[in-house]
Amino acid sequence: MSAPPLGAHADDVASALSALDRRAFLRLAGALIVAGSGPLGCHSGHSERGPDGGLEQLTPRTYAVFQAAAERVLGPGPAELVHRGVVNPAEIADRWLARLPELAPPLRAGLLVLEFAPFPLLPKLRPFTALPPSAQDAVLADLMGSSLDWKRTLFKGIKSFACLTFYSAAPSRALTGYPGPFGGPAGAEAIAQAMEEEE
Amino acid sequence: MHASPSQTLRADVVVIGTGAGGAPVAARLAEAGMDVVVLEAGPRLEPAQLTGDEGEMTAALYTLHVAQGSGLSLYAGNCVGGSTLINDALCWRPPPEVLASWHEEHGLDAFSAAAFGAHVDRAWEDVHASPTGPDHLNRNARRLALGATRLGWAGEAMPRSVKGCANLGMCNFGCPSGAKQSTARTYIPQAEAAGARIVPNTRVDQIEVKGGRAQAVLASRIDPVTRLRVGTLRVQARLVCVAAGVLGTPALLLRSGIACVAAGAGAGVQLHTSLHVTARFLEPVHGYYGPTMAYAVSEFSDVNGRTGPGFMLENTAVHPIATASALPGFGPAHARLMSELPFLARTLVVLRDQARGRVRLGAAGAPELHYSLGVSDLLRLRHGMVAIAQAYLAAGALEVYLPLNGSSPVRTESELARIPAQPLDPAQVSLLYAVHLFGGACMARGPDRGACDQDGRLFGVEGVVVSDASSLPSNTGVNPQITILANALRIAEAVVTRGTAS
């Protein structure tokens, strides 16, 4: 799927930045305009369609951006489970946001910034979902280590939500060695045995 | 009981909230013969629904807000039992220095040690607060204890409100074994046995005030699955007891337009800000077995006779979601650490913040906490973070992972010494949060200083009492469950003594 020209998304990015931090947006608006004529790329690996059941809070676009970001944030083992469709962080995220709708606008805004903000706001000239993995990592590293508060906050928000959504799925436990959850008497017996073995 | 749309109930007392601030009041007033209706915004989960699954239970039992100004995540219970269903069952008596401050500086006679002590004893007994023995100190707690002992620091196993703990490690997911003595297992059943009606999935929107007196509360009925509004409920009562939490209580007062408390409602909020430090050991720690929290280093506390900088260090469970969120960085290094979950130990800082914030009304009348940590708070958070690392290194950790995105693992004291002695940057901390919230409708000598008097009676409006942590004048420096329960029992006793009409 080819990405629409940046001009079509300039309002989205501006609105997203504004929602993140109005002052930061004002400082960066000039740069955004200058960067508006930069080259663009194509989405490669992530569908914009979203899950079959439809989306409540994420848009198809933010769904795809979150899924792509989650794979890079969580690292190779988790990314493989996501890629194989065993765990779907973006779908879980959408369900979470339906319960906590007040968190949806800032997350959507942040994901749009991650997707569309070009150089010099972020070290990229194409949408995040169109970048190769190494370039996506470079963007995330830029957010994480930035001297700008809004960038570090954006990284923190995306990472927190990626961890919440991926590690809440039962198949993720195979990657961590977590033997839980332990409900009921059977769990109590297993734990008692394990705690005895520790002594 | 289930209320249908657009229903009206009548009672002597309507209690808003089923946590530590509301449930004791409901139980005592019902036992005193009053007709009590208890409204809870969250659902009521049966024991079989408490699966212990971190993801499911976080979604079902918790509510999350983000503080403006600091990005702090604020977690609270959103279920029958309130935060007592998701806390770690830790029990501390209110420190004498804190009570002295409330008594002497805030002019609240009810908090003299002699006056308040009996209520603390009662709460302690009611929730079966009892010492934590060696059978319930897991390796996670023992790593912290070992480090503290080697460094010569003061520390102790913390009493917990449990009966027959099965070491499931699920205290903060509702405790599937039923051992934890949350209000859902203590005061709420007592209230029901005495005739109180519990109405879950009902969010109070407004207190109806006429002629300077509360007449009723207006509430929305919430679908337990979709959490959408599906009906309304009006509860007419002579007394409204507000215990909706430090965000919910001030927001309700503000939404109700109770002008006489405009100065006090929402003001004076304090937190215990927390962050987590993780360490990796050679031998398995299995930090998900046993009580989620059990051991505290009190060396740095500024209460209970100590004169430290004002924070506690407490071990905390190694569950996947919480651990992943607190570990620094991302990508392969993060995934590798998560694959070593059984070898990880975790401890948190419980900071006695000096900052104060304010609850305001946000979009659609929802609470919004404005709270910025000061330089002193951020320096002391850094101190606490470094102290945990010191303890883990002393206990033999291979590596310590500070909760700072972009930071490298710490393997030696000399590496630790290279961490800049600067206030922490909240935006760099991977997980900065609070679960202990205080104030926002503070007890005070007069309406120029707070929202209610020392019996929780709202200034300027008859028929409203505040009985939760929002009425407390400051943070406590220790886990506050017992203090909140004792204060609620005290307020209930005052209501019984004077009758609901006054």
Side-chain angles (χ1 to χ4, degrees), chain B residues 173-302:
Chain B
F173 308 139
C175 185
S177 74
K180 187 171 74 169
Q181 299 301 292
S182 69
T183 58
R185 296 193 69 83
T186 52
Y187 297 106
I188 291 297
Q190 290 167 21
E192 287 185 299
R197 291 167 282 174
I198 314 295
V199 187
N201 299 309
T202 304
R203 185 188 63 231
V204 177
D205 299 316
Q206 200 173 345
I207 301 170
E208 195 179 287
V209 178
K210 280 185 189 161
R213 179 167 191 88
Q215 307 289 323
V217 301
L218 306 174
S220 296
R221 299 281 291 138
I222 308 296
D223 182 280
V225 176
T226 64
R227 305 307 297 164
L228 297 174
R229 188 172 187 258
V230 291
T232 58
L233 175 67
R234 181 174 186 270
V235 184
Q236 193 175 320
R238 287 185 290 152
L239 180 70
V240 177
C241 174
V242 190
V246 168
L247 300 182
T249 291
L252 174 59
L253 299 179
L254 291 168
R255 277 199 306 271
S256 303
I258 299 176
C260 51
V261 295
V269 173
Q270 276 200 304
L271 309 177
H272 288 161
T273 296
S274 289
L275 56 74
H276 292 185
V277 175
T278 310
R280 183 168 61 87
F281 286 85
L282 183 62
E283 301 292 328
V285 177
H286 295 310
Y288 30 74
Y289 293 141
T292 46
M293 298 178 75
Y295 187 85
V297 172
S298 50
E299 177 74 17
F300 306 98
S301 170
D302 63 351

Side-chain angles (χ1 to χ4, degrees), chain B residues 141-165:
Chain B
R142 289 178 190 184
R143 290 296 176 280
L144 178 61
L146 176 64
T149 303
R150 286 181 174 168
L151 293 167
W153 292 348
E156 63 248 69
M158 293 177 277
R160 295 180 307 131
S161 50
V162 295
K163 266 185 193 172
C165 172

Side-chain angles (χ1 to χ4, degrees), chain B residues 40-45 60 78-80 199-203 227:
Chain B
E40 166 58 52
R44 182 172 200 166
L45 271 70
N78 185 41
C79 48
V80 170
V199 187
N201 299 309
T202 304
R203 185 188 63 231
R227 305 307 297 164

